Amino acid sequence: MVLAEYENRKGVFMLTNPVLISVIVMIVLCLIKVNVLLALLISALVGGMIAGIPLGESMGLLIGGMQGNAETALSYVLLGALAAAIGKTGAAEMLAKRISRIVGEGRFILVLLITVVACLSQNLIPVHIAFIPILIPPLISVFNRLKIDRRGVACGLTFGLKAPYVMLPVGFGFIFHRTIASAAVDNGLDFAIGDVWKSMLLPGIGMILGLFIAIFISYRKPREYKEVDVIDEDIYEDLTMKKEHWGALLGAAAAFIIQIRTESLPLGAIAGLIIMLVMGSFKWNEMDKIMNEGIKIMGFIAFVMLVAAGYGAVIRETGGVDALVKASVTLMRGSKVIAAIVMLGIGLIITMGIGTSFGTVPILATIFVPLALELKFSPAAIISLLGTAGALGDAGSPASDSTLGPTSGLNVDGQHDHIWDTCVPTFIHYNIPLLIFGTIAALIL
């Protein structure tokens, strides 16, 4: 069923837009602590129902669209297994112990150090969220000892997972900037990929400001957590490297190198597991346990990403994005300021729903580029609008790996809530600055 079949429902689209209602339903359900997976499923069906799509057909669209994130889901499960295998050797705990000794009582130093590591995961060593279930759980006892508010750590991790690709054309940033440039060119705007970073620098600066506010103002006060034995620190007083530790390091290195060479994260994870097995980091009869632990660590994220892709398929089929933009044109009234705010707001709604900046850009470009050209925005301003609209909502979205990843590490002892301790803080500290600085960039470029 396509949009043409709903022509007689245009008036309904103007008043009760399926995308807008669906996203609101999802956010409300998440805020009242309905499971994210169920919230996505329900909100997708609600969006389809409002658009006039039968429930059975909406579910079919959702299931069919899940293949869009199939490789990502498989990658996360295998990376979870790799993290479990590395965790079994104690290598991650040894690293955490060394970090603890280096930072001493420096709470802010530790949070900033983790933020830097997260930034490097997007460009220098582009493994995205794969490092989180390896590095963060062993540091939980350190966080507790230093009374670090984990909401600040979540903001640091999300910043590192997001800001580098927004601003820098390397690693995942190169992919994101290429996506922006390609979408712009496909819709009539000639723009070089090498110039995208210039348009995205100012919105990125807004994210830096949000990071500093989160760490040094919002969540600077000590916060008490119940002490739960995630790891036994006394076991790792001896920091001597053993065979299994070297195997863990070689496995992680192999996973990284093969991922880069083959552009396949699942292949890299499998290679890492094989090398660790050969090196004796774990035994053959422990493979089932490790895979089960991997599913436990990352399986939920994998399923959420699958359903998020299906949700996006339903949302696109409703035609609600086009209707939302057309309904918003009357609000713009030829004003660049209002137009910039409205377009960025639409980007926020779409990305909050589907949970991916990369997937939002092509959806928005077909409408934003012609509209912005008509309103006489400069090419650089259009790129800034398109990139910022795509980036808005990724931080704060319950279905984004930029929020699911930090939660998977910080909630290892059950004391970190995905919505209230990750999504809400990151939404406030990154989406608001992105909206403000993205609007400024669109007006001055």
Side-chain angles (χ1 to χ4, degrees):
M1 199 171 285
V2 295
L3 179 61
E5 297 179 29
Y6 306 130
E7 285 297 314
N8 63 331
R9 301 179 64 87
K10 279 184 178 179
V12 177
F13 278 175
M14 299 293 286
L15 298 175
T16 56
N17 184 276
V19 176
L20 181 60
I21 298 299
S22 177
V23 172
I24 290 174
V25 168
M26 182 195 66
I27 293 172
V28 171
L29 289 175
C30 288
L31 288 175
I32 62 176
K33 296 196 173 183
V34 173
N35 182 274
V36 174
L37 205 61
L38 289 175
L40 279 169
L41 289 170
I42 294 170
S43 56
L45 294 177
V46 168
M49 181 177 64
I50 292 174
I53 305 176
L55 286 176
E57 190 170 341
S58 291
M59 184 58 74
L61 286 168
L62 189 146
I63 294 172
M66 287 170 66
Q67 63 182 337
N69 271 345
E71 182 178 352
T72 301
L74 176 61
S75 299
Y76 287 172
V77 169
L78 290 173
L79 286 171
L82 184 63
I86 292 174
K88 184 181 181 302
T89 67
E93 285 83 351
M94 289 179 64
L95 176 60
K97 197 72 173 180
R98 290 181 184 274
I99 292 175
S100 178
R101 289 182 177 181
I102 291 171
V103 301
E105 299 300 315
R107 294 190 298 125
F108 297 129
I109 294 176
L110 179 56
V111 177
L112 290 173
L113 180 60
I114 291 171
T115 302
V116 170
V117 172
C119 289
L120 297 179
S121 74
Q122 303 303 295
N123 40 59
L124 183 63
I125 308 176
V127 294
H128 199 41
I129 68 170
F131 77 96
I132 293 176
I134 298 173
L135 178 64
I136 299 302
L139 287 172
I140 290 297
S141 59
V142 181
F143 296 157
N144 291 346
R145 177 173 60 81
L146 297 178
K147 299 181 181 180
I148 293 175
D149 192 326
R150 295 184 203 174
R151 290 174 295 180
V153 180
C155 288
L157 286 169
T158 298
F159 175 89
L161 295 172
K162 185 176 177 65
Y165 76 70
V166 169
M167 291 186 288
L168 305 175
V170 291
F172 286 105
F174 177 78
I175 300 173
F176 185 58
H177 289 196
R178 182 178 61 190
T179 300
I180 295 172
S182 298
V185 170
D186 290 343
N187 289 279
L189 180 68
D190 187 16
F191 204 87
I193 184 174
D195 292 330
V196 172
W197 70 271
K198 299 175 184 177
S199 296
M200 296 304 298
L201 190 58
L202 191 55
I205 291 173
M207 291 194 68
I208 295 174
L209 178 62
L211 171 70
F212 288 154
I213 291 174
I215 294 177
F216 297 110
I217 299 177
S218 300
Y219 308 120
R220 68 183 306 272
K221 293 182 179 179
R223 186 177 182 182
E224 296 280 355
Y225 293 88
K226 294 179 182 178
E227 191 59 48
V228 178
D229 291 330
V230 179
I231 61 169
D232 184 355
E233 292 189 16
D234 295 332
I235 296 176
Y236 299 100
E237 285 298 332
D238 179 12
L239 300 181
T240 304
M241 290 291 289
K242 299 177 182 178
K243 181 182 177 181
E244 57 267 28
H245 301 144
W246 288 113
L249 290 178
L250 286 175
F256 162 62
I257 293 171
I258 292 175
Q259 174 210 338
I260 299 299
R261 295 294 297 273
T262 65
E263 298 184 353
S264 173
L265 201 50
L267 279 178
I270 291 172
L273 287 169
I274 292 173
I275 288 175
M276 290 185 66
L277 178 62
V278 172
M279 291 289 294
S281 296
F282 61 89
K283 298 177 182 179
W284 178 265
N285 59 9
E286 295 175 323
M287 180 64 76
D288 282 347
K289 183 178 179 180
I290 286 173
M291 289 303 299
N292 289 337
E293 188 65 24
I295 294 173
K296 179 181 177 182
I297 294 172
M298 300 292 278
F300 179 71
I301 297 179
F303 272 105
V304 170
M305 296 306 294
L306 284 173
V307 175
Y311 176 91
V314 175
I315 289 304
R316 286 189 290 272
E317 191 68 16
T318 65
V321 177
D322 290 337
L324 185 62
V325 174
K326 290 174 184 177
S328 302
V329 169
T330 56
L331 298 175
M332 299 177 186
R333 299 177 181 176
S335 168
K336 285 188 174 182
V337 176
I338 297 176
I341 294 173
V342 169
M343 284 192 274
L344 292 177
I346 292 172
L348 173 62
I349 293 169
I350 304 302
T351 311
M352 279 290 292
I354 66 176
T356 168
S357 302
F358 294 78
T360 300
V361 169
I363 296 173
L364 297 179
T366 57
I367 307 161
F368 276 20
V369 173
L371 181 60
L373 286 171
E374 185 178 338
L375 291 170
K376 307 300 182 184
F377 280 100
S378 70
I382 295 173
I383 292 297
S384 178
L385 277 173
L386 185 57
T388 306
L392 267 165
D394 201 354
S397 170
S400 170
D401 48 9
S402 295
T403 57
L404 288 164
T407 298
S408 70
L410 293 169
N411 193 40
V412 69
D413 61 353
Q415 298 186 75
H416 184 87
D417 184 75
H418 178 56
I419 300 301
W420 292 103
D421 292 335
T422 295
C423 294
V424 172
T426 56
F427 182 95
I428 293 171
H429 290 91
Y430 297 130
N431 289 330
I432 294 175
L434 274 173
L435 185 60
I436 295 172
F437 282 75
T439 301
I440 295 172
L443 297 176
I444 67 175
L445 291 177

